[in-house]
Amino acid sequence: MGKDVSIKLIVNAETLYNITNPTPGDYSINCRFEGDTRPPGSPLGSYETNVYLDKKVEWIGDTNNPNGIDKDYSVNIDNIVYEPTGTDKNFFNRQIVCGKNGIVSVKVKNDPNLVNQIDVYTINFSIVYPKGSQGVPKYYNIDPRLKGNP
């Protein structure tokens, strides 16, 4: 039986915020997912999360060092965008799932055709400095994968 899944994106917020034009390598160095077991140096887009039919998926952003260098920064997940490839099916009922208060939450469709399907989604997130203010956000995106499970 499946379960709800929480995907936490952890960012070296101060470092990434201060890079003018981040490259995929900058994202791989400065972003990771909680529980990430990718080999060091592998692209962030190769990260894959198991999700379950008819269960909730939630994306949350956080800073890597909230009591140190990142303490004045916040990471918000702005939206999740389905990226169609070939004949795959969208795991969710809409192409763009918007966040609320920096968190995106959505339920996976109860469709057996999604089992063992792997999909690429774009996570659009922002870093705000200083945290809790009307500071200037900077916007970023990464493309990890989801894998359907019963």
Side-chain angles (χ1 to χ4, degrees), residues 7 33 44-49 51 57 59 79-85 88-97 104 106-109 114 117-125 141-148:
I7 301 169
F33 293 97
L44 194 61
S46 66
Y47 181 72
E48 185 178 290
T49 302
V51 296
V57 182
W59 286 266
N79 59 54
I80 304 299
V81 179
Y82 165 62
E83 303 291 345
T85 55
D88 69 345
K89 293 183 176 217
N90 190 346
F91 281 30
F92 312 117
N93 285 321
R94 46 193 187 272
Q95 183 155 350
I96 299 173
V97 182
V104 171
V106 65
K107 193 174 192 180
V108 176
K109 291 190 279 191
L114 298 175
Q117 178 177 295
I118 296 174
D119 269 353
V120 175
Y121 284 77
T122 298
I123 298 175
N124 292 301
F125 68 100
N141 62 66
I142 53 177
D143 297 318
R145 295 175 170 83
L146 298 177
K147 181 176 180 184

Side-chain angles (χ1 to χ4, degrees), residues 52-86:
Y52 301 90
L53 301 183
D54 206 34
K55 298 295 179 182
K56 184 173 79 168
V57 182
E58 181 177 77
W59 286 266
I60 303 166
D62 203 358
T63 59
N64 187 50
N65 192 349
N67 297 317
I69 195 167
D70 296 331
K71 77 176 182 143
D72 292 325
Y73 293 82
S74 62
V75 176
N76 297 317
I77 307 299
D78 300 315
N79 59 54
I80 304 299
V81 179
Y82 165 62
E83 303 291 345
T85 55

